[in-house]
């Protein structure tokens, strides 16, 4: 019975989370058109809404730990569910992502993405897009910010091992900026697939930054060790049983 009630609460939460995107986008649209700051404010408002409703609708508290970067850096994060995207973006002041160029043409979503500084790329031309972004920021034609990437390329369920993509190392080298690793345990409470959401405390933790200039291979080794080691600790804290590969609430 308890599981059934939580499943229904999770379903209601999931539906409202996506439905509310549209009214927030419409409310902030005039400001977003006038200034990129309006688009950023809209996205931050949405992140706050999701975290607030998660707390009282499904019993999922959220906690951001560590030193959140405010300068121009690369943020390389563990990705387990939509909630870690919400928490990381909501924490940094000017987050942006690399996106497929076709998403530019998605109604509302595409325009908001461009306004917050996301970088549209064609297949095989990411290097050109990154160089243009860095040039635009240096010339004052674009806002500086925190480029958020997911080093394993997709959502990875707790307990699953997956390689770190070489693209993260390439970006680190191309951008010549510090990198801030981010660990999380969100997947213990918010699975990669399915409706059910577990009560507990979801955490994203910004880890000590890796300075620019390391050899690419050394950077990748350091990044993976930091993110995987701390994510495992956070998942254990949330009640993940590595021996059984099952999830438990942390209270």
């Amino acid at each position: 019975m308890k599981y059934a009630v939580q499943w229904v609460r999770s379903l209601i939460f999931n539906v409202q989370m996506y439905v509310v995107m549209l009214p927030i986008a419409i409310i902030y649209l005039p400001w977003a058109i006038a200034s990129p700051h309006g688009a950023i404010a809209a996205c931050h408002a949405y992140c706050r809404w999701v975290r607030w409703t998660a707390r009282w609708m499904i019993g999922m508290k959220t906690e951001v730990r560590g030193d959140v970067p405010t300068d121009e850096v690369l943020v390389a994060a563990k990705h387990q569910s939509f909630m870690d995207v919400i928490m990381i973006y909501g924490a940094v002041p000017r987050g942006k992502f690399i996106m497929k160029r076709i998403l530019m043409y998605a109604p509302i979503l595409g325009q908001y993405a461009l306004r917050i500084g996301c970088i549209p790329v064609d297949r095989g031309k990411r290097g050109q897009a990154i160089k243009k972004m860095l040039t635009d920021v240096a010339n004052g034609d674009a806002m500086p910010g925190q480029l958020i990437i997911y080093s394993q390329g997709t959502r990875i369920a707790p307990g699953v091992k997956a390689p770190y993509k070489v693209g993260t190392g390439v970006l680190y080298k191309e951008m010549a900026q510090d990198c801030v690793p981010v660990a999380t345990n969100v997947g213990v409470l918010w699975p990669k697939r399915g409706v059910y959401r577990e009560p507990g405390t979801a955490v994203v933790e910004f880890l000590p930054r890796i300075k620019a200039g390391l050899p690419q291979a050394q950077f990748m080794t350091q990044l993976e060790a930091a993110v995987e080691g701390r994510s495992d600790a956070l998942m254990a804290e949330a009640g993940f049983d590595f021996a059984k590969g099952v999830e438990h609430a942390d209270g």
Side-chain angles (χ1 to χ4, degrees), residues 184-196:
T184 188
N185 67 3
V186 175
V188 176
L189 308 175
W190 186 313
K192 182 177 178 179
R193 295 183 180 86
V195 171
Y196 189 81

Side-chain angles (χ1 to χ4, degrees), residues 74-86:
L74 180 65
V75 175
K78 183 79 171 175
H79 185 26
Q80 295 183 331
S81 80
F82 184 51
M83 182 58 95
D84 57 64
V85 178
I86 292 293

Side-chain angles (χ1 to χ4, degrees), residues 110-129:
Q111 298 312 303
Y112 265 94
L114 290 176
R115 294 300 276 168
I116 68 173
C118 291
I119 307 155
V121 298
D122 293 315
R123 183 182 295 273
K125 296 183 178 180
R126 186 185 62 192
Q128 296 176 21

